[in-house]
Amino acid sequence: MRRLVYLASARRDFADVLEYITKESGSLAIGRGFVDLLRMQCRKLASLPGTLGRARPELRPDIRSFPFKGYVIFFRYAADTFEVVNVVEGHRDVVAYFQNDTM
């Protein structure tokens, strides 16, 4: 199993998702539950063998993506590490998002 690492950019994204889902649902428990599901999916992806997700060379040469419940998990493989780079709502303009993101 690869070691799972959340970059600071991904941790910020989780906080943003928590805030958004909590606000829209009116429930902190629902917000936390959704972020927990996202994190569980990241753990699952890190635990699986092989190269997963879709290559995203239009964003960065080493970035891959995997959709999950209306969001997209962006990650990369670095030796024995699975790095979660960003978690972005699926309707966002991800090309513009990555051009403005400093990781």
Side-chain angles (χ1 to χ4, degrees):
M1 181 171 145
R2 295 178 180 98
R3 186 169 64 94
L4 174 60
V5 172
Y6 297 103
L7 298 185
S9 52
R11 291 193 300 274
R12 283 191 305 272
D13 290 342
F14 283 128
D16 291 345
V17 170
L18 174 63
E19 181 180 339
Y20 176 77
I21 299 288
T22 298
K23 180 181 172 193
E24 291 299 308
S25 69
S27 169
L28 180 59
I30 290 173
R32 284 183 176 158
F34 189 78
V35 170
D36 287 347
L37 287 174
L38 284 170
R39 288 180 178 271
M40 283 181 2
Q41 183 64 30
C42 291
R43 285 192 296 276
K44 180 179 176 183
L45 292 171
S47 72
L48 295 171
T51 302
L52 303 169
R54 177 177 146 209
R56 301 301 295 263
E58 76 278 14
L59 303 176
R60 294 198 184 118
D62 59 346
I63 294 290
R64 304 186 73 78
S65 67
F66 193 91
F68 183 75
K69 296 192 178 285
Y71 282 77
V72 181
I73 300 167
F74 292 93
F75 60 92
R76 64 182 170 209
Y77 296 106
D80 64 342
T81 303
F82 182 91
E83 293 182 339
V84 179
V85 177
N86 285 103
V87 179
V88 179
E89 199 276 325
H91 294 98
R92 300 268 310 259
D93 179 348
V94 294
V95 172
Y97 183 88
F98 272 80
Q99 286 173 344
N100 296 325
D101 189 38
T102 56
M103 259 198 321

